[in-house]
Amino acid sequence: MSGAIFPPATDRPTFSANRWKQPQKIALEEAITTSVFNSTNTLPPTEAGAELPYVNADYVADVKNRLSNVALRVQAMDQAGIALTVISLTMPGIEGIFDPATAVETAKKVNDETHQLYCTGKYADRFRAFGCVAMQDPKAAAAEAERCVKELGFVGILINGYSQVGDAETVQYLDEPQCEPFWAKLEELDVPLYLHPRIPTPGQMRIYRGYEFLAGSPWGFGVETATHSIRLMVSGLFDRHPKLKVILGHCGEGLPFSLARIDHRMRHFQPHHYKCKLRMQQYWDQNFWITTAGVTSDASFSDTLRSCGEDRLMWSVDYPYEDYDETGTWFESLEMSENTRAKIGWENARRVLKLN
């Protein structure tokens, strides 16, 4: 008996063993850069502000090419059977621009260029976009979010973690009071925020000393973003704005494995230390959606699916840092019902992002 599970594929589409490789899937944590500024590092550049210096030179060259090469991206989408990609500015992005006025101006320019390159012209039917905003000035961020949605037709906002205001160590997290105008506007617009990771600030790098490469995508990204998400929960943000939608990538940045422990322990803590009214799991169930971006682990996928359910999980890739075809092939090989595959592969994204 041979080890083959399926018979060889043929040229007849109804007999193809890989029948899911067709243009249906939607990917929504997919990075770009623009000609406006180098969004792969802070402005001004900082030594620990980017991940690419730690990785192989050939990988860096390929990623940098693909971050701005629209035709190559479409070719890769076609190969992997991806109908639509929702693009966003790569980290650290606008959040790493120290001067608030420059950040506000740059965000507008980036959004305009993104709209022109991806949302109009030859490939307009293959792309949607998350806008970027300058949280260094939350009122300006609220105004730009409204412009992104109402004028440019963007499907939401993506923020790369904390914002640096004035210098590398003066940072602002999204739960802080000055960010309230932005959150009120986002709830009014009824679009999601994609909270994307970034490397911890230089002052928080002591635990990575000697192993600085771990501070990025191998480990630090998830820790940073999970902690940021918990801050949002315990701050009472979702009590004030119960209709907010937050999307997390990488199978929830480890939170599906941690929420029960957090709730279990917080029941013993003095309530004046936090402002939230509900358990963390309740906010998770009501206000968070998750993507598989950057993950090709069957076990991680299974645990995340159990944690958030098939209506709140969305397939994604994290291109060009990850590969469309590799990640798509993994997803298509997972054992699940065809109804569940369709929900996670594209239907949930269409619903949450209100895609046509």
Side-chain angles (χ1 to χ4, degrees), residues 321-333:
Y321 302 103
E322 302 290 348
D323 183 73
Y324 280 145
D325 202 32
E326 180 183 53
T327 309
T329 299
W330 164 77
F331 176 70
E332 291 155 7
S333 72

Side-chain angles (χ1 to χ4, degrees), residues 104 107-108 111 132-150 157 159 178-189 191:
V104 171
K108 291 180 180 179
N111 289 326
C132 60
V133 296
M135 288 305 298
Q136 295 88 335
D137 183 340
K139 290 183 179 179
E144 182 62 10
E146 184 166 42
R147 187 180 80 95
C148 284
V149 174
K150 293 186 175 180
I157 303 297
I159 291 179
Q178 61 269 31
C179 298
E180 182 67 18
F182 169 76
W183 287 117
K185 177 59 66 176
L186 202 69
E187 185 177 43
E188 176 191 320
L189 293 169
V191 296

